[in-house]
Amino acid sequence: MINHPGAQLRDLAVRIATHILPDVTTAYGQADAGLISGLLMALAQDFERAAFNRMADIEEIQQLFKTATANSSDLQNTQALQAFTADTPASLHLQDLDQLHARGFELLIDLHTWAENNNPELNQAIWSLLRRHSERNKFEVAGP
């Protein structure tokens, strides 16, 4: 078991940036080491919050679908939307969370396409959900 994997990934990124990158002599090598360091930092951030953020998105999408199906009689895919509102991930493994999360976003895209032309309030609610999703999942990147 690796204790505190997010911290371990951050430590690797810092080690690359502070010990390996200064010794690289080519521009390509420096760019490559910098990119790897940055990706490790992003991976560390996502690791720490992945399950929480996926579940927050799933719960928000489920609530939006419940509201939409209760308030709009002319929706397409009503059965699929209602089925999703009752679904739970098969486990807390990230691949199971990702699978349910992806299905929710596929249904959300279809609903959003419909809402853009048929329901301005629902369209705005979807945009608000997407904004919260992007804020939850943004990466904090250290500047130069």
Side-chain angles (χ1 to χ4, degrees):
M1 181 171 121
I2 297 174
N3 290 320
H4 311 288
Q8 298 298 326
L9 288 167
R10 281 189 298 278
D11 289 347
L12 285 171
V14 169
R15 178 88 179 159
I16 290 169
T18 60
H19 289 78
I20 296 172
L21 185 59
D23 289 336
V24 177
T25 58
T26 67
Y28 174 81
Q30 291 172 349
D32 200 31
L35 177 63
I36 291 168
S37 181
L39 290 172
L40 283 170
M41 291 297 282
L43 184 58
Q45 287 179 38
D46 198 48
F47 178 85
E48 294 290 338
R49 65 188 184 193
F52 179 85
N53 282 359
R54 303 304 192 281
M55 286 305 299
D57 285 345
I58 290 166
E59 290 166 4
E60 276 201 59
I61 292 169
Q62 287 175 329
Q63 187 57 49
L64 186 125
F65 289 176
K66 286 177 187 175
T67 302
T69 56
N71 295 330
S72 298
S73 59
D74 57 341
L75 284 177
Q76 301 170 345
N77 265 351
T78 300
Q79 289 180 334
L81 298 175
Q82 289 172 335
F84 183 81
T85 64
D87 211 348
T88 58
S91 76
L92 293 179
H93 286 267
L94 196 52
Q95 69 181 22
D96 291 331
L97 292 174
D98 282 343
Q99 183 179 19
L100 184 59
H101 188 264
R103 198 170 103 236
F105 268 89
E106 287 173 10
L107 291 167
L108 184 66
I109 289 167
D110 290 341
L111 181 62
H112 198 189
T113 301
W114 177 86
E116 284 179 328
N117 296 316
N118 297 290
N119 189 324
E121 288 178 15
L122 180 57
N123 181 45
Q124 185 55 52
I126 293 169
W127 277 116
S128 295
L129 182 152
L130 293 172
R131 175 64 180 192
R132 288 187 300 277
H133 162 78
S134 66
E135 285 297 314
R136 248 191 310 274
N137 289 283
K138 71 181 177 185
F139 293 107
E140 302 297 330
V141 179

